[in-house]
Amino acid sequence: MFFDTPLHSLLEQATTQPEQLRERYLMLSTDVESRDAFYHSMCEPSWDWLASELDRIGSRPAPKKPSLFGLPVGVKDTIVVSGLPTKAGTQADVGQLLGLPQSPAVTALQDAGAVIMAKQATNQFCSSAGPAQTQSIRGTTYFAGGSTVGGAVAVAAGFTRLALGSDAAGSVRHPAALAGVAGLRPRKGSISDAGQINGSLSGQSTGLIARSADDIALILARCPSLHVEPDDRAIFDKERPTIGVPGVSWGGIDPAAESALRSSMSRLAEMGHKVVSTPMWMTQEAQDDFFLVMSFENWKFHQPLMAEHPEIYDPAVYRVMRAGAAIEPKDAAAARRRLVGHQQRLLDQAHAAGLDILLTPSIPRPDIRKDAGTPRELSAVGGRFTAISNIYDFDSLSVPVERSPEGWRRSVMLHGITVPLSGLVACARHIELDQADACLQ
């Protein structure tokens, strides 16, 4: 199928054969309508909306077709797209209630010629306490992951080639790893957080899901306005960054996760990277301060909406949001100051040790089933390795690197400490499964 071709070929064909694009999207729309009745990854996809998107990009003269012309994109239903409701897992248009403008990240993708397929399903207000109907790409017995779950499943199912989401403690990378695709959480603000619900939360970052790090690299290169490299810390673009593997107990790691980690370590060493064990890891104090700040900020964001529209909240989500009311503003401010100190101490340790990238499992248990715990418990387990990048504000990229005997893709995660995002993505491209498969051919 046209949309399953390599991304560079898809974009080239869309540009050189724009007259065929509507027919191809009609076929894709029919496929989504048929198969997503099981997955529930998309929010009310509409051919009328899709036709208007094709009219928008089709109005440009052929010699001036933009760099992502024809790229199918899904957008998490907490991020505002003008002309589509932003319900955040509720029955109300919360984006309209809050008067939020369109996301600048959506605008950047549209200006580059991307086609917004539809909004994508999420837990209510990104809370793991909220109901989520999206099914795992592996079937109904498996857990599908955190709140950008609709985007991860849609990319894995072939409904979109890119998903725009948000990640507050792994909610891009966790479902991406469970779906066997790539998930990027860049540093806070490097992809605009404006025009979205909860976008102001300190630890939350707008992120991307695609089939591979190679696809993410191509999209960032062709849409430079989407990402801005922060310049507030020492960054070194090394040809062979030093890779640190945190010295944590692997006792709670599933053998499949450990296998993916060890094969990645071996591959990086073979490529000439220095791979070392490091004692660096997130402290309990840093975790406590981070989640205290997040809980307080979440409450401050939701307080007026909860007062005016309590009926739109699921009772379990309402209780979670209301918990932040018990935090005093002075305590949140003190935790925020301490968090800056935690971040700086870890950076100082990394610089002293000469470490550029941390390598960890993406998730402790890649074959987790729904009956292993509540969604909140399963999300907490999944965030064991993802949250470090939110707490310390690193670029972080989860990529599939290994295939199980049954054919399921296993992932590892790279966290950039002193390398630019381009360097992190380049490192991931060398170890990801698509590259390994190509070397075997």
Side-chain angles (χ1 to χ4, degrees):
M1 189 174 178
F2 170 70
F3 291 104
D4 289 332
T5 59
L7 185 56
H8 62 86
S9 298
L10 185 156
L11 296 172
E12 181 180 355
Q13 290 182 51
T15 301
T16 57
Q17 303 170 17
E19 70 283 353
Q20 298 183 21
L21 207 54
R22 187 171 294 265
E23 180 181 351
R24 288 165 171 167
Y25 264 100
L26 182 58
M27 293 174 63
L28 179 60
S29 179
T30 302
D31 184 45
V32 170
E33 183 179 359
S34 171
R35 293 198 292 133
D36 204 42
F38 169 78
Y39 293 122
H40 300 290
S41 69
M42 311 283 267
C43 299
E44 302 174 358
S46 158
W47 174 251
D48 288 342
W49 163 261
L50 194 50
S52 72
E53 279 287 278
L54 293 171
D55 289 341
R56 177 182 58 79
I57 68 166
S59 64
R60 303 191 185 193
K64 297 181 180 179
K65 296 300 183 190
S67 54
L68 295 181
F69 184 78
L71 176 72
V73 174
V75 178
K76 186 176 184 176
D77 199 26
T78 56
I79 300 175
V80 177
V81 177
S82 295
L84 292 176
T86 303
K87 295 184 177 181
T90 73
Q91 297 301 311
D93 188 344
V94 182
Q96 185 177 55
L97 291 176
L98 297 173
L100 296 176
Q102 172 161 296
S103 159
V106 171
T107 300
L109 289 167
Q110 286 183 321
D111 287 347
V115 174
I116 306 301
M117 286 284 296
K119 305 301 283 296
Q120 291 179 325
T122 180
N123 304 69
Q124 189 177 102
F125 293 116
C126 304
S127 171
S128 56
Q133 295 184 338
T134 305
Q135 299 295 328
S136 167
I137 197 74
R138 297 179 61 174
T140 56
T141 60
Y142 288 91
F143 183 54
S147 67
T148 310
V149 60
V153 171
V155 169
F159 300 151
T160 69
R161 291 300 296 266
L162 178 70
L164 187 67
S166 61
D167 187 315
S171 44
V172 160
R173 293 159 291 155
H174 185 204
L178 290 172
V181 293
L184 169 67
R185 184 268 179 196
R187 287 186 59 197
K188 174 70 177 174
S190 53
I191 296 179
S192 177
D193 300 310
Q196 63 178 282
I197 296 165
N198 287 3
S200 61
L201 295 185
S202 297
Q204 181 165 294
S205 182
T206 305
L208 306 174
I209 296 177
R211 291 186 177 181
S212 64
D214 198 53
D215 280 7
I216 288 175
L218 180 59
I219 288 163
L220 291 175
R222 292 198 173 204
C223 188
S225 62
L226 181 62
H227 176 269
V228 177
E229 190 76 56
D231 59 359
D232 61 341
R233 68 173 61 156
I235 296 294
F236 307 98
D237 196 1
K238 297 181 180 178
E239 183 178 354
R240 289 287 186 272
T242 297
I243 313 295
V245 182
V248 299
S249 169
W250 302 114
I253 306 303
D254 186 278
E258 185 173 352
S259 173
L261 182 73
R262 296 198 182 282
S263 66
S264 298
M265 292 168 62
S266 298
R267 206 174 306 162
L268 288 164
E270 291 169 359
M271 292 166 51
H273 290 275
K274 186 178 180 181
V275 181
V276 299
S277 177
T278 170
M280 286 194 308
W281 193 241
M282 52 186 174
T283 65
Q284 188 61 53
E285 292 80 5
Q287 292 182 67
D288 291 344
D289 285 336
F290 174 79
F291 286 110
L292 187 149
V293 169
M294 288 286 285
S295 183
F296 177 76
E297 291 180 349
N298 218 6
W299 160 246
K300 295 301 290 183
F301 180 91
H302 283 276
Q303 183 181 12
L305 188 62
M306 291 169 72
E308 294 183 21
H309 301 281
E311 73 283 354
I312 70 176
Y313 287 81
D314 178 88
V317 175
Y318 190 95
R319 288 193 294 271
V320 168
M321 301 305 179
R322 188 74 179 78
I327 301 171
E328 293 290 335
K330 63 180 178 58
D331 294 334
R336 196 176 289 111
R337 289 192 296 270
R338 290 194 299 270
L339 195 55
V340 173
H342 297 313
Q343 293 167 342
Q344 189 57 55
R345 280 190 289 277
L346 190 141
L347 286 172
D348 290 343
Q349 286 180 288
H351 285 298
L355 295 182
D356 305 302
I357 292 173
L358 293 181
L359 174 69
T360 72
S362 292
I363 43 178
R365 289 178 277 171
D367 301 313
I368 193 74
R369 293 175 180 268
K370 284 182 179 179
D371 59 7
T374 67
R376 293 200 75 188
E377 291 169 340
L378 298 180
S379 292
V381 169
R384 180 175 171 188
F385 299 105
T386 54
I388 186 172
S389 290
N390 303 86
I391 293 171
Y392 296 103
D393 197 23
F394 299 146
D395 293 321
S396 181
L397 178 59
S398 173
V399 291
V401 296
E402 192 175 70
R403 201 181 303 277
S404 74
E406 299 79 21
W408 301 114
R409 293 151 69 92
R410 313 292 192 218
S411 297
V412 298
M413 191 157 44
L414 299 98
H415 313 262
I417 306 174
T418 64
V419 296
L421 178 59
S422 58
L424 187 75
V425 174
C427 190
R429 292 172 71 185
H430 290 306
I431 64 170
E432 69 180 348
L433 184 59
D434 289 350
Q435 179 70 20
D437 285 347
C439 291
L440 294 174
Q441 293 175 357

